[in-house]
């Protein structure tokens, strides 16, 4: 096996258009931005990685501009000369020079896995224990727009693409109007699909205590992070009051957070995301903590392109405890991509790539079109 010592790291910001606006509690996007990393070894191999934040730094604090700066200035220099296959040691090196910055570290770790897989001629999931599932069910995410438009989109995805679960964003309206909106969508879909909601920590605990029972009584099947991430004790109290599963997201941004959530019984489902957890390795470790506590995991998204989605599919597909489906709809929300070939979606599922490494490569022409200058 070649030494795989890292010779160079290049990063670029890419802005890709979406097929429609996507509304969160505090912003609306008509494009999604990414940092792409290209890590090259002395042996001539190139690995690609991606970091994404959903609509900017409002969610986790990192922005693509900051991610690129941290990678270029601090993380990349510490990895030069390091063997790409020594993943844990690479993470330790990056932790030494930069606290936090999880998406930035994930961007590079992803590229290292891509190199390692290519060198061995195996897909990344084989480096993670092998496939547990060959395809992953995909929940289609809907924005915080009005009920009529959201219902129409859900109907289309249900009938034309086989999606049978939908997640609506909340938090952009008054709680009464917001609940009426999502319950109207749930009523329109009836028992043909599962309807879930994500508040992105928009409410305080008192508001959540008042309104979450109405969502539960209206047939909502899953409630994601209604209150701020710091309030793990409050999440525990809400979980105790509800029959509907409560999913943790903003409260779960590290392996250490996973242990705290378990200790406080602060959620029924873990939302995993490769960027927020700092890479594939730490995503697997977080899932292991959940498994030890008997908590299933959901394969979350930061609206990745085909590159980041492929990486997430490898780790979700190789992890038995990711048993609550996924939300890997990112490439289908984009109007264009920077990969040479699309990922395979069928009947509401995503097929895990089988090719060596991540199984996706960069389309140089499209990269030239969409890179930020």
């Amino acid at each position: 096996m070649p030494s795989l010592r890292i010779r160079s790291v290049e990063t670029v910001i890419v802005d890709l258009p979406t097929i429609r606006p996507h509304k969160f509690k505090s912003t609306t996007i008509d494009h999604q931005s990414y940092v792409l990393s290209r890590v090259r070894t002395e042996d001539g191999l190139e690995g690609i990685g991606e970091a994404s934040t959903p609509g900017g730094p409002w969610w986790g604090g990192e922005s693509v501009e900051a991610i690129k700066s941290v990678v270029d200035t601090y993380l990349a220099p510490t990895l030069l000369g390091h063997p790409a296959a020594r993943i844990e040691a690479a993470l330790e090196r990056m932790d030494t020079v930069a606290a936090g910055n999880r998406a930035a570290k994930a961007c590079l770790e992803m590229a290292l896995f891509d190199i390692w897989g290519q060198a061995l001629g195996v897909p990344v999931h084989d480096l993670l224990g092998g496939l547990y599932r060959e395809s992953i069910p995909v929940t289609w995410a809907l924005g915080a727009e009005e009920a009529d438009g959201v219902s129409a989109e859900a109907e289309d995805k249900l009938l034309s693409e086989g999606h049978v679960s939908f997640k609506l964003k909340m938090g952009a309206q008054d709680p009464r109007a917001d609940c009426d909106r999502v319950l109207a969508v749930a009523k329109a879909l009836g028992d043909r699909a599962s309807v879930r909601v994500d508040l992105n920590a928009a409410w305080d605990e008192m508001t959540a205590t008042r309104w979450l029972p109405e969502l539960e009584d209206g047939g909502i099947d899953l409630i994601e992070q209604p209150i701020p991430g710091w309030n793990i004790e409050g999440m525990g109290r809400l979980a105790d009051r509800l029959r509907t599963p409560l999913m943790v997201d903003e409260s779960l941004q590290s392996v250490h957070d996973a242990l705290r959530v378990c200790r406080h019984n602060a959620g029924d489902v873990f939302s995993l995301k490769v960027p927020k957890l700092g890479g594939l390795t730490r995503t697997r470790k977080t899932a292991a903590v959940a498994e030890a506590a008997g908590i299933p995991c959901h394969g979350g998204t930061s609206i990745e392109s085909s590159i980041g989605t492929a990486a997430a599919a490898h780790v979700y597909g190789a992890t038995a405890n990711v048993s609550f489906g996924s939300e890997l709809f990112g490439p289908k929300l984009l109007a264009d991509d920077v990969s040479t070939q699309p990922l395979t979606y069928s009947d509401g599922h995503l097929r895990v790539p089988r090719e060596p490494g991540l199984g996706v490569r960069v389309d140089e022409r499209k990269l030239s079109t969409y890179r930020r200058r």
Side-chain angles (χ1 to χ4, degrees):
M1 181 174 170
S3 67
L4 303 183
R5 293 191 180 275
I6 297 168
R7 176 173 58 84
S8 66
V9 178
E10 176 189 355
T11 61
V12 61
I13 295 176
V14 175
D15 300 303
L16 296 178
T18 58
I19 58 174
R20 57 154 172 82
H22 192 68
K23 186 176 182 179
F24 299 93
K25 69 169 185 179
S26 55
T27 190
T28 300
I29 61 171
D30 58 11
H31 70 278
Q32 175 68 324
S33 299
Y34 307 91
V35 177
L36 299 187
S37 66
R38 309 184 79 166
V39 178
R40 299 179 177 91
T41 71
E42 296 173 359
D43 314 287
L45 291 175
E46 177 184 85
I48 56 174
E50 174 186 293
S52 57
T53 61
W58 68 273
W59 191 92
E62 290 181 90
S63 67
V64 291
E65 297 82 7
I67 290 167
K68 181 177 178 4
S69 179
V70 168
V71 170
D72 292 348
T73 307
Y74 299 102
L75 302 184
T78 199
L79 293 184
L80 296 180
H82 183 79
R86 297 184 182 178
I87 303 290
E88 289 274 10
L91 290 170
E92 185 177 80
R93 284 191 177 205
M94 291 191 284
D95 288 343
T96 299
V97 298
N101 289 283
R102 292 177 292 273
K105 294 170 184 175
C107 185
L108 291 177
E109 189 226 35
M110 194 182 297
L112 301 188
F113 269 109
D114 189 27
I115 290 169
W116 189 13
Q118 290 180 65
L120 294 175
V122 301
V124 165
H125 58 253
D126 277 359
L127 306 176
L128 300 171
L131 274 185
Y132 180 83
R133 56 184 64 83
E134 297 189 356
S135 64
I136 305 168
V138 177
T139 292
W140 185 265
L142 301 157
E145 289 81 10
E146 293 305 315
D148 288 347
V150 168
S151 294
E153 182 176 344
E155 288 282 355
D156 175 65
K157 296 301 176 184
L158 176 67
L159 296 174
S160 66
E161 298 182 22
H163 291 281
V164 293
S165 65
F166 298 92
K167 190 176 83 173
L168 284 74
K169 291 293 184 181
M170 294 185 67
Q173 300 183 16
D174 169 85
R176 172 75 278 167
D178 221 3
C179 288
D180 288 345
R181 179 181 66 89
V182 299
L183 292 177
V185 175
K187 182 178 180 180
L189 290 172
D191 59 4
R192 295 176 297 148
S194 170
V195 177
R196 305 151 180 208
V197 297
D198 181 8
L199 284 121
N200 285 124
W203 291 347
D204 57 29
E205 187 178 351
M206 184 178 296
T207 304
T209 300
R210 164 64 181 85
W211 292 103
L212 292 185
E214 296 214 9
L215 296 177
E216 182 172 70
D217 292 343
I220 300 304
D221 295 319
L222 178 76
I223 297 166
E224 183 174 353
Q225 196 71 45
I227 62 176
W230 59 263
N231 195 357
I232 290 178
E233 293 86 352
M235 286 286 287
R237 288 187 287 269
L238 292 173
D240 283 343
R241 295 187 181 105
L242 295 171
R243 303 181 308 279
T244 301
L246 188 68
M247 185 155 73
V248 288
D249 187 8
E250 282 87 343
S251 292
L252 181 70
Q253 300 195 43
S254 69
V255 178
H256 312 96
D257 285 346
L259 184 57
R260 283 190 286 270
V261 169
C262 292
R263 283 175 171 167
H264 290 281
N265 296 314
D268 305 296
V269 183
F270 277 14
S271 176
L272 306 177
K273 293 176 184 175
V274 173
K276 76 167 182 178
L277 291 168
L280 282 69
T281 302
R282 288 166 176 170
T283 298
R284 286 269 288 179
K285 290 181 178 181
T286 302
V289 174
E291 184 175 13
I295 297 172
C297 293
H298 170 79
T301 183
S302 294
I303 313 184
E304 293 91 347
S305 78
S306 289
I307 296 168
T309 300
H314 283 291
V315 68
Y316 298 162
T319 305
N321 198 37
V322 183
S323 55
F324 213 85
S326 83
E327 199 181 327
L328 294 179
F329 83 123
K332 295 174 74 64
L333 185 65
L334 299 175
D336 205 353
D337 212 324
V338 290
S339 64
T340 56
Q341 68 285 330
L343 298 177
T344 301
Y345 289 86
S346 178
D347 295 325
H349 286 66
L350 169 64
R351 176 183 180 272
V352 181
R354 304 292 198 279
E355 297 76 16
L358 292 178
V360 290
R361 308 294 349 136
V362 172
D363 184 314
E364 301 294 344
R365 181 183 60 82
K366 289 185 177 181
L367 179 62
S368 178
T369 298
Y370 293 113
R371 69 181 298 163
R372 189 180 296 181
R373 292 174 170 84

